[in-house]
Amino acid sequence: MKRTTGISALQFFILTFGLTIGTSILVTPSGMAHIAREDAWIASLISMLINLLMVILYIALARLYPGQTLYEILESVTGKWPGKLLTLAYLFYFISLIGTLLGNLGFFVSGEVMPETPPEVVQIIFLIAAIISARKGIIILARVGELFFPWVVVLLLVLVLALIPQIEWNYIKPVLEDGWMPVLHAGLQSSIFQEVIVLMVFLPLVRQNKPRERAYLLGIAAGDLVLSAIVLLSVLVLGIEQTENSTFPAYALAKTINIGNTLQRVEGMLITIWILTYFIKISVLFLSMLQGLRSIFGLKRQNHLIYPLSALFIIIAWNTYINTVYVNDIIATVWMKFASLFLLVIPAILYVTALVRVKLLKQKRPEPSSGSRQQESHKTP
């Protein structure tokens, strides 16, 4: 990866924010309400805490190998060929994510916004935009995100403020009726949908160390706070039953806005927020896959891989995202264990192994003898 140019800490913050929200803004409230019921808003805060702990782990690992991407760290810790195998495993994880994201996009737009449009058409059109982003690279994507970010913030504020008059505080009662276990379970399950480890592929591109670490943490915190607000408003406005039974509760939430019969039918704002952050998420995943393939095969250029990968994404989306019921069942039974392996287990093992290796190297390093110390002292003026 060329490091002659880079991205600013603010741009990295925006990429992190967009990746965190991504598809989660639409589907997270339903999954949390199904498990934690009225305490879904507490579970969303626990999810934020878990994500922050994950990022702290990633930052600690990156500090042991400064200037290296995720794939380079894998090879540095485990060796060349085990590292390449782990890189392939991460690429399989990322390609599964992209297929699911494209499937979710097609079913949402076809089911809620444009019912007469086949989902395959929506997926292909959006993939064309992702291809353009992949050809331009991460730096151009970061600049586009910087351009979009103020509009996303304004639309979010309008959406939240317009929902405040419809709040029913009794909808969140009783609090912790079933104890902490459902809340913890919902928080852990929600935390795996942000996939923040993918940003370690681009962390070395940020120009300064401390600002990039701060941007990483603040981006996760800001994105999760937005998700927590959407979850809380979904429960307070829609009620627990409608939130749980809706496929896309946030979209149903936006459709309820009606202020004086003048401000209504503003769900387009939510769609705009979702499309912009979704574009950032799928583009970052696309670019991370290109970097991974480049790392495995030692390629000098990667653009010739864009179109074959795009075809593979479409095939996976059409064959894996059968319907929302099927996908929700996979998420409830398999996905949490599968994703936790890449988000938590492997990074934790890597960090412990790297930490032990660094300490052993320090112990093996010979101490300067007394004679050499005297010679050095004579040389110094």
Side-chain angles (χ1 to χ4, degrees):
M1 180 184 293
K2 294 182 180 179
R3 298 189 179 90
T4 53
T5 57
I7 58 179
S8 67
L10 175 61
Q11 291 170 339
F12 191 72
F13 165 83
I14 293 169
L15 290 178
T16 308
F17 178 83
L19 182 80
T20 304
I21 292 179
T23 51
S24 301
I25 195 171
L26 282 178
V27 300
T28 294
S30 177
M32 284 193 169
H34 180 70
I35 300 173
R37 305 290 294 172
E38 290 85 357
D39 302 316
W41 63 279
I42 303 177
S44 64
L45 296 176
I46 292 174
S47 174
M48 179 177 69
L49 178 61
I50 294 172
N51 276 323
L52 288 174
L53 292 174
M54 286 183 187
V55 172
I56 291 172
L57 172 63
Y58 304 155
I59 290 173
L61 183 59
R63 282 181 177 179
L64 293 176
Y65 295 93
Q68 294 191 15
T69 67
L70 171 65
Y71 307 123
E72 292 167 344
I73 291 173
L74 291 174
E75 292 193 26
S76 297
V77 176
T78 63
K80 182 178 179 180
W81 295 110
K84 290 185 183 298
L85 289 175
L86 282 174
T87 298
L88 278 174
Y90 270 97
L91 293 183
F92 175 74
Y93 172 55
F94 293 154
I95 201 172
S96 302
L97 281 173
I98 293 175
T100 305
L101 290 173
L102 284 174
N104 194 20
L105 169 75
F107 273 86
F108 169 72
V109 175
S110 298
E112 301 288 343
V113 185
M114 297 186 292
E116 295 182 0
T117 304
E120 293 82 5
V121 174
V122 178
Q123 291 163 355
I124 291 173
I125 292 174
F126 198 88
L127 190 59
I128 292 172
I131 289 171
I132 296 172
S133 175
R135 288 185 62 85
K136 296 298 181 181
I138 188 66
I139 295 175
I140 300 300
L141 177 64
R143 293 172 183 171
V144 172
E146 195 172 13
L147 182 66
F148 286 162
F149 183 68
W151 297 101
V152 172
V153 172
V154 170
L155 292 175
L156 279 170
L157 287 174
V158 172
L159 186 68
V160 171
L161 293 175
L163 286 167
I164 289 177
Q166 302 184 53
I167 286 176
E168 288 287 344
W169 291 104
N170 289 327
Y171 284 165
I172 62 170
K173 298 177 182 178
V175 178
L176 295 175
E177 182 182 20
D178 297 321
W180 281 98
M181 288 307 297
V183 176
L184 294 173
H185 181 207
L188 180 60
Q189 188 177 71
S190 174
S191 66
I192 67 170
F193 289 104
Q194 277 71 65
E195 299 95 17
V196 291
I197 195 170
V198 70
L199 290 164
M200 282 192 69
V201 178
F202 308 105
L203 191 61
L205 288 174
V206 188
R207 299 186 187 105
Q208 296 174 318
N209 290 336
K210 289 186 178 180
R212 74 183 178 192
E213 294 174 359
R214 193 181 307 117
Y216 206 175
L217 288 167
L218 291 178
I220 296 297
D224 276 325
L225 282 175
V226 170
L227 293 178
S228 298
I230 296 298
V231 170
L232 179 60
L233 288 170
S234 297
V235 175
L236 288 175
V237 175
L238 298 177
I240 191 62
E241 299 300 332
Q242 189 175 349
T243 301
E244 181 183 357
N245 294 323
S246 296
T247 306
F248 304 107
Y251 185 70
L253 183 69
K255 289 165 68 174
T256 65
I257 294 176
N258 185 357
I259 299 178
N261 292 325
T262 56
L263 183 62
Q264 54 184 339
R265 301 295 298 176
V266 296
E267 57 269 20
M269 290 192 303
L270 181 71
I271 296 173
T272 303
I273 295 168
W274 181 67
I275 289 294
L276 294 178
T277 55
Y278 179 96
F279 173 72
I280 291 175
K281 184 167 186 173
I282 198 169
S283 297
V284 168
L285 285 167
F286 200 156
L287 287 164
S288 70
M289 284 208 64
L290 292 172
Q291 290 292 343
L293 291 172
R294 184 178 180 180
S295 174
I296 289 174
F297 299 109
L299 302 175
K300 293 182 179 179
R301 295 176 61 254
Q302 60 191 32
N303 283 357
H304 59 281
L305 298 173
I306 291 175
Y307 297 106
L309 274 179
S310 302
L312 186 59
F313 296 155
I314 284 292
I315 293 171
I316 292 173
W318 290 350
N319 287 277
T320 58
Y321 205 103
I322 299 172
N323 53 57
T324 53
V325 176
Y326 172 79
V327 172
N328 288 337
D329 182 61
I330 295 295
I331 290 172
T333 56
V334 177
W335 189 256
M336 188 172 78
K337 297 175 183 177
F338 174 69
S340 297
L341 181 67
F342 298 98
L343 298 176
L344 216 62
V345 177
I346 293 177
I349 294 173
L350 288 174
Y351 177 68
V352 173
T353 305
L355 198 62
V356 171
R357 179 173 293 180
V358 168
K359 288 187 175 181
L360 288 175
L361 286 175
K362 286 182 179 179
Q363 290 177 358
K364 289 181 179 179
R365 195 173 293 166
E367 299 234 355
S369 61
S370 58
S372 62
R373 286 177 183 171
Q374 290 177 359
Q375 289 178 1
E376 288 178 1
S377 63
H378 285 304
K379 288 180 182 179
T380 56

